[in-house]
Amino acid sequence: MPSLNMEGPYRFDIKTINEKVTRVSPGNFVLGRKNENGAFLFTYIGRAFTDLNSKLKFWIDKKDKPLFKFRYCVTAQDAFDNECENYHDFVKGGKAKHPRRPASTDWQCPRCNFYN
Ligand SMILES: [Zn+2]
């Protein structure tokens, strides 16, 4: 099984985000819940190119999920690459669209030729 390689899950609220996501950094996150067996299920994959803490808070009012996981990335492009990897490992074939790169970049998906 592929792994998200993220910390958590943690409660998806402002207090917990501030406690856990303390660095201003690019990063990746997922939002989800636990099922009746206690397994974490995520239904949203996201990324932040500059500030993961702020990006998580942006989603609080828009996604009704109780839990999140995250990881920091060194660069924005790392966050994009990881988002693509997570998409291909966990989402492809579902209704979610392929991750989008910033319009000002020529980044390539590490797993497919979406941008060729
Ligand atoms: Zn791809």
Side-chain angles (χ1 to χ4, degrees), residues 5 20 32 40 42 50 63 71-73 79 88 101 113:
N5 193 25
K20 300 298 182 185
F40 179 73
F42 60 91
T50 54
K63 298 281 184 187
R71 70 175 153 193
Y72 296 119
C73 298
H88 283 284
R101 68 185 179 191
N113 60 4

Side-chain angles (χ1 to χ4, degrees), residues 84 87-88 98-99 109-114:
C84 289
Y87 170 81
H88 283 284
H98 194 284
C109 175
R111 294 277 289 273
C112 77
N113 60 4
F114 184 75

Side-chain angles (χ1 to χ4, degrees), residues 9-21:
Y10 302 119
R11 287 172 51 91
F12 188 44
D13 58 34
I14 298 272
K15 179 172 178 289
T16 308
I17 290 168
N18 283 338
E19 284 173 2
K20 300 298 182 185
V21 187

Side-chain angles (χ1 to χ4, degrees), residues 11 28 30 44 49 55 74 87 92 114:
R11 287 172 51 91
N28 297 97
V30 295
Y44 182 79
F49 289 141
K55 190 65 175 284
V74 176
Y87 170 81
K92 201 168 187 302
F114 184 75

